[in-house]
Amino acid sequence: MSSYICPSCKTENSLNIDFAIEQYICRSCSMLINADHNSIEKSIKKPTENVVLEVGQKGKIDGIVYEVVAIVVKKYGSSVYWREYYLKDKNLNDAFLSEGDGHWVFLQPQKMPEKEFKFHAEFNGKKYRWYESTPNNIHAAAGFFEKKLKFTLATYKEFVNGTEMVSLEQVGSEKTFFWGKHVSRSEIKRNFDPSYMPNYSGIGIVQPYYINIKQLINIFATVAIIISLIQLYNTVSRSNYEVFNDKIRFDSIINKEKISRSFVLQGASAPLNVKLYSNVDNSWANVELSLINEKTNEIEYTSQDIEEYHGYTDGESWSEGDKHKEFNFCGVAPGKYHFAVNAQKQGFETPSNDLFFTPDGTKSFKYTGDGFVDQTILSSGEKVAYNLTNLQTNDSAIYAELQKAKEFKLKNPDFAGTLPSNDENPNFEIRAFWKPVSFWNYFIICGIMLTLVLLNYWGKYLFDKEKWKNSNYSPYTQYTN
């Protein structure tokens, strides 16, 4: 530890790091003191505004502990200020923290380059573009200095490459060369623990863009590879194949629900495509279809109308509707399923409770409510009415058939038989296809990621354009002099 007594106010000025100094500024009276002769040279303005680190304060950058040994506030023109904190590590190596408008740059002195820089500088294999030449002088200072402070006009010639910079400082004939990089406010706050941070405004000379586009591309590329593999697996593991095909007579499910055979869906979740067909002709049909997961008992329900009409009006033929109907059960998970089906069609009326079928299904009997029963030959639709009053006496054979039909219905309450109808197409067809996973989601996700990357490239262009707007050597023509 070094200690110096101010000859002006007798205040002791101490420093933890022991190194040879030429001048120091008293922490109490702000007098600039010649350390060798312990003599007063001049009064110096004390750094105050936005000065957040103190002489003697320690912090870590890139894993190395530094101590603040001096503070210098530089001034450009009449109103532009920035602060430079002089640092030393335990091996007495020099470094600097420069802060302006809340933007921080960590600088280290380097060996002077052999050739003079003009519009570009080269350092460690990188090229840096000339940003600006900044004349400045010392506005305020505090701390301990190895070399004599020079209050004459100095010039910084700054060159930038992304988040790095090189700077050539010249005071009179003396030149010093620095390499620097951006340091985040959070890193300064975390490693030096200042009581407050200076206001943040504008874009710093080596401030990075808000998003690391290379990292974003790497992340999106990884995501794209993963979803591509998933998409490939889904496509290979399942093709667009038929899982169900059945023809059902409308009259076989009147007043009851038909449970289809089971079928298995394998692979990942995907749409189940269903196609219905009925040869309706100037008529309609309705199919109520429930898809039932046999493991979870989850049900997806739909009701579909099939209508087809045509005619000839005012000398022109017309048609509307379709004999086919196609729809999807969306996002169906793999598993074992079956359909529950209800259907009706124009021309197939629902039978009443007093309709009875013979066990062989060739005839039906229906009470008319006026003392008669209609016997219908189902194959031809031919009807004969019988008087119930003396049916047993007058036509014992018909009476016996009626009784058997009643007994048969008691034993087979769900039997619908075949109702009379002139419809030549009493069937409807159900076909179901397990479809491959749609590529739409895949392309949408990839498109969103590509759009975000392009938007960030555009954002970075605008960001860099704004960063260089105060430079006389901007790569963007609208700011070039």
Side-chain angles (χ1 to χ4, degrees):
M1 177 180 288
S2 299
S3 182
Y4 303 89
I5 304 297
C6 174
S8 175
C9 65
K10 308 306 179 184
T11 300
E12 182 180 4
N13 294 268
S14 301
L15 185 66
N16 291 324
I17 298 179
D18 189 9
F19 65 97
I21 67 170
E22 188 170 340
Q23 292 177 323
Y24 72 92
I25 298 173
C26 178
R27 62 184 175 85
S28 178
C29 64
S30 295
M31 289 294 181
L32 178 63
I33 311 298
N34 183 303
D36 290 336
H37 303 96
N38 199 30
S39 59
I40 301 172
E41 296 192 351
K42 60 186 298 187
S43 177
I44 303 296
K45 187 174 182 179
K46 182 178 287 189
T48 54
E49 187 177 359
N50 284 335
V51 175
V52 298
L53 303 182
E54 299 176 356
V55 174
Q57 190 169 351
K58 292 182 179 180
K60 188 182 290 186
I61 297 177
D62 294 337
I64 299 174
V65 176
Y66 291 94
E67 182 174 339
V68 179
V69 297
I71 304 169
V72 175
V73 178
K74 297 289 183 73
K75 181 180 180 181
Y76 166 61
S78 60
S79 59
V80 179
Y81 299 89
W82 70 91
R83 287 142 291 278
E84 294 182 353
Y85 299 91
Y86 290 39
L87 310 176
K88 276 191 179 291
D89 65 14
K90 64 179 182 179
N91 298 319
L92 305 183
N93 295 311
D94 292 321
F96 301 86
L97 274 174
S98 176
E99 178 273 315
D101 294 328
H103 304 281
W104 294 81
V105 181
F106 176 66
L107 296 154
Q108 292 176 306
Q110 305 291 330
K111 181 182 177 181
M112 280 294 298
E114 296 180 358
K115 63 179 182 179
E116 185 178 352
F117 298 143
K118 292 185 178 180
F119 293 99
H120 291 87
E122 291 188 12
F123 178 73
N124 284 348
K126 284 187 178 182
K127 280 192 174 183
Y128 297 77
R129 187 182 182 90
W130 190 6
Y131 186 88
E132 196 57 275
S133 294
T134 309
N136 63 89
N137 53 34
I138 295 175
H139 174 71
F144 302 83
F145 302 90
E146 283 184 294
K147 295 181 181 180
K148 187 175 181 180
L149 281 175
K150 296 181 179 181
F151 294 88
T152 57
L153 189 67
T155 301
Y156 282 157
K157 193 173 184 179
E158 298 163 323
F159 300 82
V160 173
N161 182 334
T163 60
E164 297 180 13
M165 66 178 293
V166 291
S167 176
L168 185 63
E169 180 185 21
Q170 184 169 355
V171 184
S173 61
E174 184 180 351
K175 295 181 179 180
T176 310
F177 183 61
F178 300 92
W179 170 86
K181 68 172 183 176
H182 168 81
V183 180
S184 67
R185 299 174 78 247
S186 60
E187 187 175 350
I188 296 295
K189 191 169 185 178
R190 181 175 63 252
N191 293 330
F192 283 86
D193 194 25
S195 58
Y196 78 99
M197 294 294 286
N199 293 330
Y200 181 97
S201 63
I203 298 176
I205 186 172
V206 287
Q207 179 184 342
Y209 181 56
Y210 308 109
I211 295 174
N212 188 319
I213 297 181
K214 288 185 178 179
Q215 288 185 0
L216 182 69
I217 291 174
N218 289 337
I219 292 171
F220 282 175
T222 302
V223 172
I225 291 172
I226 292 172
I227 64 174
S228 295
L229 292 174
I230 293 173
Q231 185 73 25
L232 178 63
Y233 166 76
N234 289 335
T235 302
V236 171
S237 65
R238 183 180 63 252
S239 59
N240 186 6
Y241 63 94
E242 188 176 80
V243 294
F244 185 85
N245 190 336
D246 195 9
K247 288 184 178 180
I248 302 172
R249 288 181 62 93
F250 286 97
D251 56 8
S252 70
I253 54 174
I254 293 177
N255 264 0
K256 64 178 181 179
E257 186 176 65
K258 177 179 176 62
I259 303 301
S260 76
R261 62 173 177 81
S262 299
F263 52 91
V264 177
L265 307 180
Q266 295 178 332
S269 296
L272 180 67
N273 177 252
V274 179
K275 296 179 180 180
L276 301 177
Y277 171 78
S278 177
N279 192 18
V280 290
D281 184 14
N282 274 328
S283 62
W284 57 267
N286 174 267
V287 178
E288 296 179 352
L289 197 64
S290 296
L291 176 66
I292 302 171
N293 186 314
E294 295 186 1
K295 181 178 180 180
T296 64
N297 289 324
E298 292 181 356
I299 299 174
E300 290 191 55
Y301 169 83
T302 184
S303 177
Q304 301 290 332
D305 291 322
I306 308 171
E307 300 175 300
E308 196 273 339
Y309 296 93
H310 57 86
Y312 194 81
T313 305
D314 296 331
E316 293 185 1
S317 60
W318 59 270
S319 64
E320 61 181 18
D322 199 337
K323 301 177 188 293
H324 298 83
K325 195 65 174 282
E326 183 174 354
F327 60 93
N328 288 333
F329 288 105
C330 296
V332 180
K336 191 175 183 180
Y337 292 84
H338 66 260
F339 288 123
V341 187
N342 278 309
Q344 54 182 322
K345 185 178 183 182
Q346 185 177 0
F348 286 90
E349 289 77 17
T350 303
S352 62
N353 291 329
D354 57 0
L355 181 67
F356 307 94
F357 295 92
T358 56
D360 59 10
T362 61
K363 298 178 182 179
S364 70
F365 295 91
K366 183 176 181 180
Y367 287 94
T368 64
D370 56 0
F372 287 84
V373 64
D374 289 338
Q375 175 192 272
T376 304
I377 308 299
L378 297 180
S379 59
S380 63
E382 180 183 353
K383 288 184 180 181
V384 179
Y386 295 97
N387 190 326
L388 291 173
T389 305
N390 52 9
L391 181 61
Q392 184 175 8
T393 304
N394 296 336
D395 201 330
S396 59
I398 297 299
Y399 179 79
E401 282 187 318
L402 174 59
Q403 295 305 112
K404 287 182 180 179
K406 288 182 177 180
E407 293 173 2
F408 181 75
K409 183 169 184 178
L410 289 175
K411 295 179 182 179
N412 302 275
D414 293 330
F415 182 77
T418 304
L419 294 178
S421 173
N422 294 324
D423 198 312
E424 297 179 356
N425 300 285
N427 301 324
F428 68 95
E429 182 178 2
I430 303 177
R431 300 178 69 194
F433 299 86
W434 187 226
K435 301 190 73 174
V437 174
S438 171
F439 278 85
W440 279 108
N441 289 339
Y442 171 77
F443 288 126
I444 288 173
I445 293 172
C446 290
I448 290 173
M449 292 191 296
L450 178 60
T451 301
L452 289 175
V453 170
L454 294 177
L455 286 175
N456 275 284
Y457 268 113
W458 176 246
K460 187 175 185 304
Y461 168 79
L462 297 177
F463 176 89
D464 290 337
K465 189 175 175 182
E466 182 69 16
K467 178 193 288 190
W468 282 86
K469 77 175 183 179
N470 294 322
S471 169
N472 289 324
Y473 312 100
S474 169
Y476 304 97
T477 55
Q478 55 266 49
Y479 296 124
T480 300
N481 291 338

